[in-house]
Amino acid sequence: MKTINALTLLLPLFAFQSAKAQSQVYSGTGIRYSVGIETGLATGYLAKKYEAPLGVSVQAEFPITESILYASVNTGFNNIFVTGNYSHLVDDLQLVPVKAGLKYFYRSNLYLQSEIGFSFLLNKTNCVEGKKAAFVYALQAGMIFYLHNNNYIDAGLRYESNGKFYHCDHTNNFVGFRIAWGFSL
């Protein structure tokens, strides 16, 4: 619920920045980097046992068409916290996603991003037969808040789906929010 309240507070900022950024253009060229924190809410079957992810990520973006289309690579660490009811049965999910994708700017500060890759499970439960990696895909919409020179804040809302790690399990989906500091060299 705290995540939804935080997102509600950020929506007016998106509207203000959208109006303000119409005249701003990102001055950086070349590869863009960002370091961020992530949170969210578990959805679907995952929400029965787990509450929310919390993690960190790093991303690099390589220009295909300058200021419009970028190829991205992203990795990080996500801890998905188990609910109190299941804490005696299962552990938190600790994932390292490795993803690649495309980031398309349809306005100077608004973008759509899609990524695919693999999530690696760091803490496999011993009592259930499973695998260490699963397919992952993510769809994200976000906004860039331009600062000075080649610095910016990147805020995005995304849906992420991880494949099954255990035979008796389902996909592990969540809605996430990422806020990152970005820069180019």
Side-chain angles (χ1 to χ4, degrees):
M1 195 59 151
K2 291 179 184 176
T3 304
I4 293 173
N5 290 337
L7 293 176
T8 305
L9 293 173
L10 288 174
L11 288 177
L13 288 174
F14 285 146
F16 173 75
Q17 179 66 16
S18 179
K20 180 181 170 192
Q22 295 299 324
S23 63
Q24 288 183 311
V25 177
Y26 180 72
S27 62
T29 59
I31 301 172
R32 298 163 35 143
Y33 304 94
S34 63
V35 178
I37 58 173
E38 305 183 6
T39 189
L41 293 172
T43 63
Y45 181 79
L46 186 66
K48 291 181 181 182
K49 296 180 186 174
Y50 296 92
E51 294 177 315
L54 180 63
V56 295
S57 64
V58 294
Q59 182 167 288
E61 300 166 9
F62 305 90
I64 296 172
T65 306
E66 193 68 45
S67 300
I68 296 174
L69 184 63
Y70 292 82
S72 66
V73 291
N74 182 315
T75 190
F77 172 80
N78 286 323
N79 189 80
I80 304 176
F81 296 96
V82 68
T83 63
N85 299 339
Y86 286 91
S87 61
H88 64 286
L89 296 174
V90 296
D91 296 326
D92 293 351
L93 284 177
Q94 296 176 346
L95 306 175
V96 173
V98 178
K99 302 175 285 189
L102 294 174
K103 189 172 191 177
Y104 170 69
F105 285 85
Y106 59 93
R107 297 262 172 124
S108 67
N109 65 322
L110 301 173
Y111 68 85
L112 298 173
Q113 183 173 0
S114 64
E115 298 173 307
I116 60 171
F118 289 94
S119 277
F120 298 95
L121 183 64
L122 297 182
N123 61 335
K124 185 173 141 183
T125 302
N126 294 328
C127 63
V128 179
E129 183 60 35
K131 53 188 178 176
K132 285 277 197 185
F135 178 76
V136 62
Y137 69 89
L139 303 170
Q140 180 169 306
M143 172 174 257
I144 300 292
F145 296 90
Y146 296 106
L147 302 174
H148 55 53
N149 297 330
N150 297 332
N151 294 288
Y152 57 92
I153 300 295
D154 184 342
L157 184 64
R158 82 167 177 280
Y159 174 79
E160 187 165 312
S161 180
N162 291 277
K164 298 192 304 186
F165 290 105
Y166 300 105
H167 299 297
C168 61
D169 209 353
H170 296 276
T171 58
N172 301 293
N173 307 325
F174 64 89
V175 174
F177 177 72
R178 177 178 190 257
I179 188 156
W181 168 63
F183 60 94
S184 64
L185 301 175

